[in-house]
Amino acid sequence: MISSLRTPTPTEDPERPLRGKLSSHTRRDFVRGVAAAGASTAGAVALGGTGLDLFGETALANSRSNGFGHFEAIAASSGDALEVPEGFRAQVLISWGDPFRDRKGRTHRYGFNNDFLAFFPLDRRGEGLLFVNHEYPDPFFIHGYKPDGAAKTPEQVQLEKDAVGNSIVHVRRRSGGGWKVVSPSPYNRRIYGDRPELDFTGPLAGAAGVGVTANGSVANCSGGVTPWGTALSCEENFDDFGVDVEADAADAYGWKQFGGSPADAEYDSETQAKYGWVCEHDPYDPHGVGRKHTALGRFRHENTAFRHEPGKRFVLYMGDDKANECVYKFVSDRRFRRRDPEGNRRILESGRLYVARWEPEGRRRFAAAGDTDPVTATEGRGIWVPVPVAALADTAAKLREQFGDDEYDTHFATNRPEDLEVAEDGSVFIALTNNSTVNDSHGSVRRLRERGNDPEALAFSWRDYAAGGPTGGDEGAEGFSSPDNLVFDRAGNLWVVTDISSSRLNGDNEYAYHRNNAMFMVPTSGPNKGVAFRFANGPVQCELTGPWFTPDEQTLFVNVQHPGEQTGNASDAPGVFGLEQTYTSWWPEGDRSRGDNPAMPKPSTVAITRIPRRRR
Ligand code: FEO
Ligand code: CA
Ligand code: CA
């Protein structure tokens, strides 16, 4: 059963009084929150021996559950609405352009194309900070530009710089279970594409092309959290920003070309290495200076997932989101210690980066596009190969040079790693989204287990855990395609959002069955183990990103990224700026599939909650 639900935005409700001090909200609360959430994306606490049955296919009984564990899966949809199962509601919390103020009364605007989000608790009642990434601008929606090769003005480039980066937004749960933005708040702030300065750390800080600082942050795709209470933001398609604009190059923003400032030369990813790093921010510190960690390498960073265990060094898993690129892990020189905040802040500054080498091969290959039976092995073994310091500034290119094309493509390349997440038992789930160069249309979720379940191990085994494609028959369980972000709930269910290219959605092709991009829940144990149940549908041409549960798992936050993306992303795209009727999505203020209220589509952050029984 489908229900299309929208509830009022927070601006329609009177603000509650602001609590006025930075007070007693502690990092300790954050650590406890992570522990309470069990595995979640943090993979925080290895519970040794009580986890899932790794490569045995026996389903374990699982009695734990949360507010989201039981729902009636919904059918695929092409509608221009965010759809959730009956009994749930989806509230738009904040959208692109919405103002939120800091304590000095300065107004900040929520950025474009929200991707990663994480909730940092301020208390146990339902108050916290959302740390959100704004990945890339859409020049058409921001200032009416189509990629027809024409020049941009420096003012247009500035609007794009202002639309990306990160937001830290203070939010509070209301008595009815919905959420509102707290504004003004001393925590509210933005990081932009050109400001403030972030500091470099690690072996390449100060090196030629890197320097000591960078102006702002770009291409912030997904990310992660640390157990010491900071957010990690991953610069993914960093090379799009300095590239010169040419006709129909939708992903070239021309900031160096049209920016109008000498500093804009720094977006040239060929000559400088200011972007393409993992950035660390402290949401709890409004005066905190972000840091870019060179020890983690420079590639198209999708996200991070950590593992720490008593007596072991801190480990961070990462993927390079590009077809035929790699999976990495960083093993810190230091261990995480709860009572050593200063030491913990240095964990990502020094250590060893490794790249995964897969046997018999890393890519899942198919005979033809759309096939669901691979011609390659779906399980095997692998080793972690050290990455030399000399390769850190341009990691993938240097490693390809080192290993040679044949070795690299056979044993290191994968099918575009999007999110990696650490399960409660320490195994690592990897969303390999798709790879047209090897006819992988639908992708898979791969599971990697370190030898001896030791995070520092230099060998592992792997198995493709869940395959994308039309793998099921029942309505709501037809199967996901092109997995992107992953998150575990504390019952061990895996939540998967999909990212089929908006140009291929709802076309006459192998993705037709899937309709809009969606969110699925995949039980990892019990009788439904491995089945993908559709929990939410996104509006037209969006992808859903950044799913994140609050520590009590009563709220699931999710981002709706690039609704209506095909409106103005080519010179002959249908959009006419200012004429909403021509836009391909009208969400969230309207619904194009119903002809309801033509409006500008806006990337937005949504809070999904269960409707209290008395209100249903
Ligand atoms: Fe920005 Fe890898 O998705
Ligand atoms: Ca992604
Ligand atoms: Ca993606």
Side-chain angles (χ1 to χ4, degrees):
M1 186 169 296
I2 300 173
S3 56
S4 175
L5 299 167
R6 287 201 300 118
T7 52
T9 61
T11 52
E12 293 169 282
D13 292 283
E15 284 194 352
R16 284 170 51 190
L18 171 71
R19 277 205 334 222
K21 58 188 173 80
L22 278 173
S23 82
S24 55
H25 305 320
T26 63
R27 205 75 37 109
R28 199 178 60 237
D29 285 325
F30 175 79
V31 173
R32 283 204 304 259
V34 170
S40 183
T41 193
V45 195
L47 296 181
T50 61
L52 306 170
D53 179 12
L54 277 174
F55 295 147
E57 292 298 335
T58 313
L60 297 179
N62 192 336
S63 59
R64 293 175 298 167
S65 189
N66 71 358
F68 289 83
H70 303 282
F71 61 89
E72 189 172 345
I74 62 176
S77 169
S78 306
D80 192 23
L82 183 68
E83 300 173 344
V84 294
E86 186 165 294
F88 293 84
R89 62 183 169 186
Q91 172 207 0
V92 175
L93 175 65
I94 187 167
S95 299
W96 164 54
D98 284 352
F100 58 109
R101 285 173 292 142
D102 61 25
R103 186 154 60 178
K104 291 184 176 172
R106 288 176 298 210
T107 297
H108 307 277
R109 299 269 170 191
Y110 201 59
F112 204 84
N113 271 348
N114 27 228
D115 194 307
F116 176 67
L117 69 80
F119 178 84
F120 288 79
L122 289 171
D123 66 18
R124 288 183 168 279
R125 295 188 303 279
E127 187 159 352
L129 307 175
L130 286 183
F131 182 93
V132 180
N133 288 3
H134 302 291
E135 185 176 10
Y136 61 97
D138 185 321
F140 177 81
F141 289 129
I142 292 172
H143 49 73
Y145 182 88
K146 279 188 179 177
D148 55 7
K152 291 179 182 176
T153 66
E155 291 73 26
Q156 288 175 323
V157 170
Q158 188 60 52
L159 288 172
E160 295 174 18
K161 291 174 179 172
D162 294 348
V164 301
N166 314 90
S167 289
I168 292 116
V169 184
H170 188 168
V171 295
R172 179 185 292 147
R173 191 181 347 232
R174 295 182 297 197
S175 55
W179 289 81
K180 63 162 288 182
V181 171
V182 178
S183 174
S185 163
Y187 297 104
N188 288 340
R189 64 182 166 112
R190 282 288 317 274
I191 291 111
Y192 300 95
D194 60 347
R195 64 197 189 279
E197 282 188 345
L198 281 71
D199 293 337
F200 280 106
T201 79
L204 298 188
V210 177
V212 179
T213 62
N215 295 314
S217 186
V218 298
N220 303 95
C221 186
S222 188
V225 297
T226 65
W228 52 95
T230 58
L232 299 177
S233 176
C234 292
E235 295 183 324
E236 190 193 50
N237 295 308
F238 58 91
D239 46 346
D240 292 344
F241 293 81
V243 172
D244 285 357
V245 168
E246 294 174 8
D248 287 323
D251 298 334
Y253 302 116
W255 288 9
K256 176 173 72 87
Q257 190 181 7
F258 301 123
S261 145
D264 291 321
E266 296 184 353
Y267 297 106
D268 184 342
S269 63
E270 299 289 322
T271 59
Q272 306 223 27
K274 296 289 189 184
Y275 308 96
W277 304 101
V278 173
C279 310
E280 183 173 7
H281 297 278
D282 185 347
Y284 292 111
D285 180 2
H287 308 293
V289 176
R291 295 178 300 149
K292 298 192 176 197
H293 294 302
T294 65
L296 307 182
R298 177 168 173 261
F299 47 86
R300 290 168 189 78
H301 281 283
E302 168 69 21
N303 88 321
T304 67
F306 72 76
R307 202 171 162 201
H308 77 82
E309 292 187 29
K312 292 290 179 183
R313 291 182 293 169
F314 186 86
V315 167
L316 200 68
Y317 294 92
M318 300 171 287
D320 182 356
D321 180 11
K322 190 180 180 193
N324 308 314
E325 294 304 346
C326 305
V327 171
Y328 296 86
K329 85 169 173 183
F330 171 78
V331 180
S332 174
D333 289 338
R334 307 180 73 96
R335 292 169 173 77
F336 167 68
R337 294 188 171 90
R338 286 181 186 275
R339 293 184 180 79
D340 183 14
E342 290 311 309
N344 292 338
R345 285 176 62 82
R346 299 180 57 195
I347 282 176
L348 302 180
E349 295 182 7
S350 65
R352 192 87 199 234
L353 186 65
Y354 296 87
V355 60
R357 184 184 188 280
W358 310 85
E359 288 279 5
E361 64 181 285
R363 293 180 298 183
R364 186 178 163 90
R365 291 188 286 113
F366 294 81
D371 283 2
T372 53
D373 290 323
V375 297
T376 46
T378 55
E379 61 186 299
R381 299 193 169 276
I383 57 171
W384 293 105
V385 178
V387 175
V389 172
L392 291 178
D394 192 5
T395 311
K398 293 289 185 193
L399 292 180
R400 185 173 277 277
E401 211 173 275
Q402 177 181 332
F403 298 128
D405 285 342
D406 284 351
E407 165 74 2
Y408 194 87
D409 286 335
T410 304
H411 292 297
F412 292 92
T414 68
N415 290 355
R416 276 187 62 200
E418 293 264 14
D419 263 27
L420 294 88
E421 295 296 329
V422 176
E424 190 175 27
D425 62 5
S427 63
V428 183
F429 283 65
I430 307 165
L432 296 168
T433 191
N434 56 45
N435 183 354
S436 61
T437 71
V438 290
N439 295 319
D440 182 3
S441 298
H442 297 297
S444 62
V445 177
R446 180 170 293 181
R447 191 175 194 178
L448 179 156
R449 188 183 192 191
E450 301 282 15
R451 178 177 288 169
N453 204 17
D454 176 359
E456 297 180 29
L458 294 182
F460 58 84
S461 53
W462 63 272
R463 173 175 291 183
D464 286 341
Y465 176 79
T471 52
D474 295 337
E475 187 172 275
E478 297 97 332
F480 62 79
S481 178
S482 307
D484 194 325
N485 301 143
L486 308 174
V487 67
F488 286 101
D489 64 28
R490 66 180 163 211
N493 301 309
L494 181 65
W495 294 73
V496 181
V497 293
T498 66
D499 182 15
I500 300 167
S501 164
S502 63
S503 65
R504 312 282 325 269
L505 284 169
N506 294 294
D508 182 16
N509 57 37
E510 66 266 37
Y511 300 108
Y513 83 97
H514 198 285
R515 303 203 180 182
N516 289 357
N517 277 314
M519 173 159 43
F520 294 82
M521 187 270 271
V522 183
T524 54
S525 62
N528 293 318
K529 178 181 178 181
V531 179
F533 294 97
R534 188 179 283 242
F535 178 79
N537 291 314
V540 169
Q541 293 165 6
C542 85
E543 66 174 292
L544 301 176
T545 58
W548 193 274
F549 288 100
T550 51
D552 63 7
E553 297 201 342
Q554 297 303 306
T555 299
L556 173 56
F557 288 108
V558 65
N559 279 326
V560 177
Q561 195 189 49
H562 60 72
E565 187 178 48
Q566 297 292 308
T567 298
N569 64 352
S571 55
D572 61 351
V576 178
F577 191 59
L579 263 187
E580 284 85 356
Q581 286 282 0
T582 67
Y583 298 175
T584 56
S585 169
W586 299 342
W587 187 88
E589 290 162 17
D591 180 335
R592 196 177 199 279
S593 54
R594 291 185 178 180
D596 172 21
N597 191 30
M600 172 79 87
K602 292 179 181 173
S604 301
T605 298
V606 170
I608 301 175
T609 51
R610 264 198 185 278
I611 301 170
R613 285 196 176 278
R614 64 184 182 280
R615 296 190 181 189
R616 289 186 209 170

